[in-house]
Amino acid sequence: MVNGWVECPITEVLKPNGIKIGPFGSQLKKEMLLSDGVYRVYGQENVYAHDFNIGDRYLTREHFNRLNSCEILPGDFVMSTMGTIGKCAIVPTTIQRGIMDSHLIRLRFDEKKVRSDYILQLFSDQFHYLSDQTARLAVGGIMDGLSVGIVSRLNVIYPESIEEQGKIIKTLSEVDKLIFDQQKLIRKKKNVRQGTMQRLLTGKNRLQGFSSEWKDTTLGKICNIKDGTHQTPYYVECGIPFYSVETVTNDDFSHVKYISLEEHERLTSSYKIENGDVLMTRIGSIGKGKYVDWNPNASFYVSLALLKFRGNKPLANFIALLTGTEEFQKEAELHSLHFAIPTKINLGQISDIRVRIPADESEIKTIITMLNDMGSEIKRLEQKLNKYKQLKQGMMEELLTGKVRLV
């Protein structure tokens, strides 16, 4: 252990009776909840969002008084027990009076030993300290949720000096601000691009120099539509990429499953994904398109449709962008199988989806260029954000283990 540092059970740095879980169903019943009131009920959604103003669950004074042992106060450390387990937050000073539900655990630290905001960094999902421990404590290799018993068995590592803890917090918080500001800028840029897409791709706003009429058509008239294999293939550790609906919805074509070359060649005997095609989601999530602007050597599942635009790449790119508008999503929903579980749209219905497109191909190209330039700027900002996150992870590895000292 580094000189001046301590690693000990979390129970040794808590105040007496410093750990508490929220009331379970028999104590906090749905019929007790109000849609408005003075006393709130907080849950994991508040921790995920780091926002204790959201939510619409309230209690009467009588029910609050009966459950006030589960009250959370400004400065309390709370942790999610279900869903994305181990998400942490510190209750803000502006909190409205209320209790936590059974999906939160409240911890009250002895601030003379360790600061709550230091533990917030130590247990951050950007660092591995908490996740390493919950993985070891998981029964049968699966962690369904946290309990008081599991949390009580966690360890913490920290410098004995409160001053050193403060310096670590200050240093990491400065990087957190860079990350927060970058995320805020990205959200703003995405909102601006989305609004621009909504106006330009539907013809509500026209770019200067273009005045020709737009034409109404259907997808079936401007492209050929095929679906992927209906059989779940045998996956291999490495090989040919196999795309599914999640690939498109997450816009992540790097982290995919793989199939063998032999199976790929069998599956693509009647179709092949090519540069200039569009992949569109059709089962589960419907109507989200991705323009293929690379040369893929891949197969895809039945949850996706392949749209081939007969060599017209600008039109394909335009349609892929158009799928992100409210108008297209409403049109796709209109043609979907409303009673299917999961939500589904057949190839024939995709063919019937109506679209409006510029008659002048130069207008199509100009719109695409503008939107793609905005998209490229967002990608550059996201790359910068990833660098900030990597910087923080490196700093946490050094500062939260005592490898680098701020004394």
Side-chain angles (χ1 to χ4, degrees):
M1 178 58 61
V2 176
N3 184 39
W5 278 59
V6 175
E7 184 165 21
C8 67
I10 195 170
T11 50
E12 292 187 13
V13 294
L14 294 175
K15 292 180 178 178
N17 302 313
I19 182 168
K20 175 74 175 177
I21 196 167
F24 286 94
S26 59
Q27 298 173 288
L28 183 63
K29 297 179 180 179
K30 184 177 290 186
E31 53 266 29
M32 294 166 52
L33 300 177
L34 308 173
S35 59
D36 198 4
V38 176
Y39 302 98
R40 299 188 70 162
V41 178
Y42 298 95
Q44 58 191 18
E45 65 277 7
N46 301 103
V47 175
Y48 294 162
H50 285 270
D51 185 349
F52 284 77
N53 293 315
I54 62 175
D56 57 359
R57 296 181 297 164
Y58 296 84
L59 294 174
T60 63
R61 179 190 293 270
E62 178 187 358
H63 286 137
F64 170 77
N65 287 338
R66 186 160 56 82
L67 297 171
N68 63 7
S69 64
C70 299
E71 183 177 6
I72 54 175
L73 302 173
D76 280 348
F77 188 101
V78 288
M79 179 184 295
S80 64
T81 66
M82 301 296 290
T84 306
I85 65 171
K87 284 280 189 178
C88 305
I90 294 176
V91 179
T93 56
T94 55
I95 189 175
Q96 183 177 343
R97 199 169 184 190
I99 68 165
M100 59 186 171
D101 66 17
S102 62
H103 290 169
L104 291 182
I105 284 180
R106 182 191 70 205
L107 299 170
R108 289 177 175 165
F109 290 96
D110 183 347
E111 297 281 339
K112 294 179 181 179
K113 294 181 179 178
V114 64
R115 290 176 50 162
S116 297
D117 46 0
Y118 173 87
I119 299 296
L120 191 65
Q121 294 289 355
L122 183 68
F123 282 2
S124 167
D125 53 11
Q126 296 171 286
F127 194 48
H128 55 80
Y129 189 78
L130 177 61
S131 59
D132 285 353
Q133 292 189 75
T134 54
R136 288 196 300 268
L137 293 171
V139 178
I142 299 175
M143 178 67 76
D144 292 326
L146 291 178
S147 64
V148 168
I150 291 173
V151 174
S152 298
R153 293 160 61 194
L154 296 174
N155 283 350
V156 293
I157 182 171
Y158 62 96
E160 290 182 292
S161 167
I162 295 294
E163 181 183 0
E164 186 173 357
Q165 291 178 31
K167 289 180 178 180
I168 292 171
I169 295 162
K170 182 176 183 296
T171 302
L172 294 178
S173 296
E174 288 171 352
V175 186
D176 282 335
K177 187 176 186 309
L178 290 175
I179 291 172
F180 175 81
D181 290 344
Q182 192 73 1
Q183 289 172 329
K184 184 178 178 180
L185 178 59
I186 290 170
R187 285 194 299 271
K188 179 181 178 181
K189 294 288 185 180
K190 284 184 174 180
N191 289 337
V192 170
R193 183 174 184 264
Q194 183 63 36
T196 304
M197 287 174 58
Q198 195 66 41
R199 294 189 298 273
L200 292 183
L201 293 169
T202 59
K204 292 177 181 177
N205 284 13
R206 302 292 295 277
L207 294 174
Q208 188 174 359
F210 298 102
S211 58
S212 60
E213 292 293 323
W214 284 35
K215 58 183 181 182
D216 295 311
T217 186
T218 62
L219 287 181
K221 291 179 180 178
I222 58 176
C223 67
N224 296 323
I225 305 171
K226 299 180 179 292
D227 61 355
T229 177
H230 289 238
Q231 298 178 350
T232 302
Y234 178 77
Y235 298 116
V236 296
E237 188 171 341
C238 61
I240 305 298
F242 187 78
Y243 301 153
S244 65
V245 65
E246 291 80 11
T247 311
V248 175
T249 54
N250 297 331
D251 195 15
D252 185 356
F253 289 77
S254 300
H255 302 90
V256 297
K257 294 180 179 179
Y258 297 93
I259 60 175
S260 68
L261 176 60
E262 294 75 17
E263 187 155 21
H264 166 66
E265 290 176 342
R266 179 178 61 81
L267 294 177
T268 56
S269 59
S270 60
Y271 59 80
K272 182 180 181 182
I273 309 174
E274 298 174 303
N275 188 314
D277 290 342
V278 172
L279 289 166
M280 182 183 294
T281 59
R282 56 174 294 266
I283 297 178
S285 167
I286 64 170
K288 180 176 175 58
K290 172 67 178 180
Y291 177 64
V292 180
D293 58 358
W294 67 100
N295 292 306
N297 185 29
S299 291
F300 65 104
Y301 196 43
V302 65
S303 56
L304 294 175
L306 180 66
L307 281 56
K308 287 186 168 292
F309 286 80
R310 308 176 186 121
N312 193 333
K313 291 186 177 182
L315 180 56
N317 200 343
F318 181 91
I319 294 298
L321 292 168
L322 182 65
T323 66
T325 64
E326 292 177 7
E327 284 78 359
F328 187 92
Q329 287 298 310
K330 289 178 181 177
E331 183 71 10
E333 177 65 24
L334 181 66
H335 288 84
S336 67
L337 302 176
H338 297 288
F339 300 106
I341 300 176
T343 306
K344 180 180 179 181
I345 184 169
N346 288 330
L347 299 190
Q349 281 68 50
I350 293 176
S351 296
D352 292 335
I353 291 177
R354 296 172 299 173
V355 293
R356 292 185 70 240
I357 58 177
D360 186 346
E361 187 170 303
S362 61
E363 184 173 5
I364 292 178
K365 291 180 179 179
T366 304
I367 291 172
I368 290 169
T369 298
M370 175 180 284
L371 294 176
N372 285 348
D373 285 347
M374 296 174 77
S376 296
E377 181 187 9
I378 291 170
K379 285 184 179 179
R380 288 193 294 271
L381 294 173
E382 288 175 335
Q383 290 170 353
K384 190 172 183 180
L385 173 62
N386 288 333
K387 289 182 180 178
Y388 286 153
K389 289 181 176 180
Q390 290 170 5
L391 171 64
K392 187 185 177 188
Q393 286 177 342
M395 293 172 66
M396 294 174 93
E397 191 63 44
E398 295 184 331
L399 295 178
L400 296 175
T401 59
K403 293 177 182 177
V404 172
R405 306 292 296 276
L406 298 180
V407 291

